[in-house]
């Protein structure tokens, strides 16, 4: 049932809005089962006792890990506060560390209790959405410090585990990365204002289940083109770098859809672009790599959407391309990349 706003336009009822949010949340959450079917079988076969032992070991080291992670975050990004003109008072290491500790504690307890990654995503996404909103309200660039703190915390925790243990825990940590880097809750709430059969919402529901597949294909294509390229964390085929690349392609997709639903370039202009400007040079991610990713993303959208559906995305895709164009970032490819692309 729809209601009317002050202008007489049809608006979804509160029940319809809640249904839309839940449906989109579930579509996103299902990717953890699809993406990690092998890991899923592994975590299902692990005994509750073994999970509890692993979780407790990580919980015992959590406080130390938080301190170590902030040291790494500060070393990586401290120069950016001055370079980017960020108000240093907005960077509160105590609050950031406290929030990181709280989230990882919840995730580890969920792991111990054998809560599936899919269910974890559903109940944790709102918490992470609030944390994300708290840090991006005044200056969206602050989320870079929060994200790196979470990232390094997860990496340090995984480092203390065996490869088999890492395989089961990493899926849970990916839920944190997704919900923190991407404005998922904002996307869901904006989508809830649309009629169920609107072209924008139908298009989003159609492509959302393919987000991870699109991201995997694009990340693999770029790493195949540039096998000798090394960023801050290693080569493009390094599992950690590969996971980050896939997440970034997903992030660009979510921001594009957010622009479509909000009918505004603000999400890209005010959030995504400043974040990339601050992080990518620091992490040694070349702008030509970003442009290749955007180009491939456009091709995927063009293949998977009808002409009418793609027309909704195209204006914002053009903005995205223009903002990362060679005119803005004339940085050439390194020599080894040119040789491998030939």
């Amino acid at each position: 049932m729809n209601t009317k706003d002050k202008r007489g336009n049809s608006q979804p009822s509160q029940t319809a809005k809640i249904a839309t949010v839940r449906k989109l949340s579930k579509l996103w959450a299902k990717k953890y089962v699809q993406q990690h079917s092998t890991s899923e079988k592994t975590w299902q076969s692990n005994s509750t006792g073994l999970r509890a032992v692993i979780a407790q070991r990580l919980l015992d080291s959590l406080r130390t890990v938080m301190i170590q992670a902030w040291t790494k975050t500060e070393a990586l990004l401290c120069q950016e506060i001055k370079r980017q003109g960020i108000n240093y008072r907005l960077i509160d290491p105590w609050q950031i560390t406290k929030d990181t500790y709280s989230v990882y504690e919840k995730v580890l307890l969920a792991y111990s209790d054998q809560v599936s990654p899919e269910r974890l995503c559903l109940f944790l996404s709102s918490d992470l959405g609030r944390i994300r909103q708290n840090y991006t309200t005044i200056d969206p660039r602050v989320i870079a410090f929060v994200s790196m703190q979470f990232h390094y915390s997860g990496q340090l925790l995984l480092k203390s585990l065996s490869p088999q243990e890492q395989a089961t825990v990493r899926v849970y940590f990916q839920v944190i990365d997704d919900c923190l880097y991407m404005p998922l809750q904002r996307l869901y709430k904006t989508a809830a204002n649309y009629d169920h059969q609107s072209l924008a919402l139908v298009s989003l529901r159609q492509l959302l289940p393919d987000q991870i597949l699109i991201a995997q294909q694009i990340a693999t294509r770029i790493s195949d083109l540039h096998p000798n390229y090394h960023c801050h964390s290693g080569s493009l085929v390094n599992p950690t770098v590969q996971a980050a690349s896939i997440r970034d392609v997903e992030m660009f997709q979510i921001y594009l859809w957010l622009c479509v639903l909000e009918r505004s370039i603000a999400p890209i202009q005010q959030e995504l672009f400043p974040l990339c400007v601050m992080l990518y040079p620091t992490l040694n991610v070349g702008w030509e790599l970003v442009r290749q990713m955007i180009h491939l993303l456009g091709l995927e959208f063009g293949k998977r959407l009808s002409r009418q559906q793609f027309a909704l995305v195209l204006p914002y895709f053009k903005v995205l391309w223009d903002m990362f164009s060679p005119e803005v970032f004339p940085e050439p490819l390194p020599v080894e990349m040119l040789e491998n692309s030939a």
Side-chain angles (χ1 to χ4, degrees):
M1 179 180 177
N2 290 352
T3 58
K4 301 279 186 179
D5 62 17
K6 293 181 179 179
R7 296 182 179 180
N9 297 320
S10 179
Q11 292 287 312
S13 66
Q14 189 61 30
T15 302
K17 288 182 179 182
I18 293 172
T20 296
V21 170
R22 292 186 64 185
K23 188 162 190 174
L24 292 176
S25 299
K26 287 180 179 179
L27 281 176
W28 182 269
K30 284 180 180 178
K31 79 169 193 164
Y32 298 101
V33 173
Q34 297 165 353
Q35 183 183 357
H36 303 281
S37 57
T38 302
S39 296
E40 181 192 7
K41 291 175 184 177
T42 304
W43 66 252
Q44 284 180 337
S45 63
N46 283 347
S47 67
T48 304
L50 178 58
R51 282 172 160 267
V53 169
I54 295 171
Q56 190 58 54
R57 194 195 324 157
L58 294 179
L59 285 167
D60 290 341
S61 66
L62 208 49
R63 190 178 300 275
T64 301
V65 164
M66 294 297 109
I67 296 171
Q68 294 172 342
W70 182 254
T71 300
K72 291 172 71 70
T73 298
E74 198 166 41
L76 181 73
L77 295 175
C78 64
Q79 296 300 320
E80 294 302 310
I81 297 177
K82 184 176 181 179
R83 188 177 299 144
Q84 301 291 333
I86 301 171
N87 184 345
Y88 74 92
R89 292 186 178 88
L90 298 176
I91 313 297
D92 184 348
W94 311 114
Q95 187 60 49
I96 293 173
T97 302
K98 180 180 177 181
D99 287 337
T100 310
Y101 185 101
S102 174
V103 170
Y104 271 102
E105 184 179 44
K106 289 179 182 178
V107 170
L108 290 171
L109 290 174
Y111 171 78
S112 178
D113 292 339
Q114 293 196 315
V115 175
S116 72
E118 183 180 7
R119 288 196 62 196
L120 175 65
C121 180
L122 291 174
F123 76 73
L124 192 63
S125 60
S126 58
D127 288 347
L128 285 166
R130 283 193 295 271
I131 289 174
R132 179 186 169 82
Q133 185 176 13
N134 288 341
Y135 287 105
T136 58
T137 299
I138 300 176
D139 189 335
R141 294 172 297 179
V142 175
I143 197 65
F145 292 84
V146 182
S147 298
M148 293 311 301
Q149 170 69 9
F150 272 90
H151 171 73
Y152 282 133
S153 297
Q155 290 300 308
L156 289 167
L157 289 168
L158 288 172
K159 191 176 180 180
S160 67
L161 301 176
S162 69
Q164 184 178 9
E165 291 169 341
Q166 287 182 17
T168 64
V169 177
R170 185 178 284 111
V171 188
Y172 288 77
F173 287 2
Q174 187 186 335
V175 175
I176 299 174
D177 275 359
D178 285 357
C179 297
L180 196 65
Y181 274 84
M182 305 176 207
L184 289 172
Q185 285 298 306
R186 182 174 166 188
L187 180 77
Y188 300 155
K189 290 177 181 178
T190 306
N193 293 317
Y194 279 75
D195 182 79
H196 186 71
Q197 295 302 321
S198 66
L199 183 62
L201 197 52
V202 168
S203 303
L204 175 60
R205 289 200 306 269
Q206 176 182 320
L207 223 55
L208 197 59
D210 292 338
Q211 294 272 104
I212 182 64
L213 179 61
I214 293 171
Q216 288 172 333
Q217 290 177 344
I218 291 175
T220 299
R221 175 61 175 156
I222 292 176
S223 64
D224 287 345
L225 285 171
H226 312 296
N228 295 326
Y229 187 84
H230 279 68
C231 62
H232 179 77
S233 300
S235 71
L236 297 180
V237 295
N238 177 289
T240 299
V241 176
Q242 188 77 189
S245 300
I246 292 170
R247 183 203 60 227
D248 281 7
V249 182
E250 289 189 273
M251 178 176 69
F252 271 67
Q253 292 180 73
I254 292 298
Y255 270 103
L256 272 171
W257 284 116
L258 188 58
C259 285
V260 171
L261 295 179
E262 292 189 353
R263 301 186 182 95
S264 169
I265 65 170
I268 290 175
Q269 189 178 54
Q270 297 174 11
E271 294 187 24
L272 179 63
F273 183 74
L275 186 64
C276 292
V277 168
M278 185 163 68
L279 282 181
Y280 282 160
T282 305
L283 297 173
N284 194 32
V285 175
W287 296 116
E288 188 61 28
L289 285 182
V290 179
R291 284 191 284 271
Q292 288 181 351
M293 181 262 285
I294 295 171
H295 172 70
L296 292 171
L297 188 56
L299 294 179
E300 288 294 331
F301 271 50
K303 285 193 303 186
R304 296 167 185 271
L305 295 173
S306 70
R307 183 175 299 180
Q308 188 181 14
Q309 289 174 320
F310 189 61
L312 289 174
V313 183
L314 189 57
Y316 307 103
F317 179 81
K318 287 180 176 178
V319 168
L320 188 63
W321 177 260
D322 288 343
M323 294 189 77
F324 290 95
S325 69
E327 288 76 21
V328 178
F329 299 108
E331 168 194 297
L333 281 169
V335 174
E336 69 271 15
M337 290 179 68
L338 291 171
E339 290 174 350
N340 282 286
S341 299

